[in-house]
Amino acid sequence: MAKFILGRKLGMTTIYDKERGALNVTLVECEPNIVTQIREADKDGYKAIQVGVAKAKVQNPKNPKDFLKIKEFRGEIEGFKVGDTLSIDQFKVGDRVKVSGITKGKGFQGVMKRHGFKGSPHSHGHKHDWRAPGSIGSSFPEHVIKGKRMAGRMGGKRASVKNLEIVEIDKENHILFLRGAVPGVKGRIVEIVG
């Protein structure tokens, strides 16, 4: 059975291991998730379980206003019913997980930061256009081709990081220590799938 939970990114720190030395880890707080809905193959066309992170005390598991985030996890899921809770007890140290979330928004950026363009040389008549994109088209077809790498909004998109190792688990405070970086800013909800 698949392992999955929603958690809140707390930030990064360094912990020390006797064999491996210093390990950079991301702390993710995974308070118990509540099952809000079960999708059935005969009724919905697929099998899935829908879980949510509660804002405070949940009166009705089917009321979406009681939750900060609700996410559906597809697959062969048996033995759950609406109102059940998922905790970090399903994970163990050494497990490899995939973490998905929304990346940090960086606003409107130029081509050098957004796409890694080299820029113009700093000589031979290039006085003010060191960071300019350069040519964006040709004489035919007389318009900018769709998908051209140009300046624009950067970040704020969904991203996933695979094979992050669970280095430590703090069951008392519901915290997973994941080796490596996790997408998003501090306080953002991320999805963890084992």
Side-chain angles (χ1 to χ4, degrees):
M1 191 176 84
K3 302 173 182 179
F4 47 85
I5 198 164
L6 296 175
R8 184 191 312 277
K9 180 178 174 177
L10 297 179
M12 290 192 78
T13 187
T14 303
I15 61 172
Y16 296 91
D17 186 80
K18 286 180 181 176
E19 289 88 35
R20 298 187 285 180
L23 302 175
N24 294 320
V25 295
T26 304
L27 279 61
V28 180
E29 182 184 24
C30 302
E31 292 181 351
N33 291 187
I34 297 168
V35 177
T36 58
Q37 195 171 7
I38 305 290
R39 301 280 191 189
E40 299 292 344
D42 52 344
K43 191 171 84 175
D44 302 301
Y46 63 96
K47 286 188 173 184
I49 183 171
Q50 199 179 76
V51 298
V53 178
K55 286 181 185 173
K57 192 174 180 183
V58 175
Q59 304 295 328
N60 177 11
K62 292 191 174 184
N63 183 8
K65 291 182 180 176
D66 285 351
F67 298 92
L68 284 172
K69 180 165 179 137
I70 294 176
K71 174 68 182 159
E72 212 169 73
F73 295 96
R74 291 190 179 207
E76 291 292 326
I77 294 140
E78 303 296 332
F80 288 104
K81 60 184 188 296
V82 175
D84 284 355
T85 58
L86 299 171
S87 69
I88 60 170
D89 295 336
Q90 60 188 314
F91 297 100
K92 61 182 188 297
V93 173
D95 281 356
R96 296 275 178 174
V97 294
K98 178 177 113 175
V99 182
S100 303
I102 305 297
T103 59
K104 290 181 181 180
K106 293 178 171 66
F108 194 95
Q109 299 298 331
V111 292
M112 288 180 78
K113 181 165 184 173
R114 191 175 187 214
H115 300 294
F117 282 20
K118 189 176 92 172
S120 302
H122 291 201
S123 62
H124 298 290
H126 293 275
K127 189 172 180 183
H128 298 295
D129 64 346
W130 299 333
R131 300 181 69 87
S135 174
I136 60 169
S138 57
S139 59
F140 179 83
E142 297 174 354
H143 67 269
V144 179
I145 305 298
K146 201 176 266 190
K148 188 78 177 164
R149 294 183 302 165
M150 299 177 79
R153 289 279 293 271
M154 184 179 173
K157 293 191 167 93
R158 185 177 166 82
S160 297
V161 181
K162 294 180 179 179
N163 284 326
L164 293 180
E165 182 189 357
I166 297 176
V167 177
E168 194 178 314
I169 298 174
D170 182 354
K171 292 191 177 181
E172 190 179 322
N173 297 312
H174 312 289
I175 296 174
L176 289 176
F177 292 71
L178 304 173
R179 187 177 183 189
V182 164
V185 295
K186 291 177 187 175
R188 189 162 282 169
I189 302 291
V190 294
E191 304 152 23
I192 302 169
V193 180

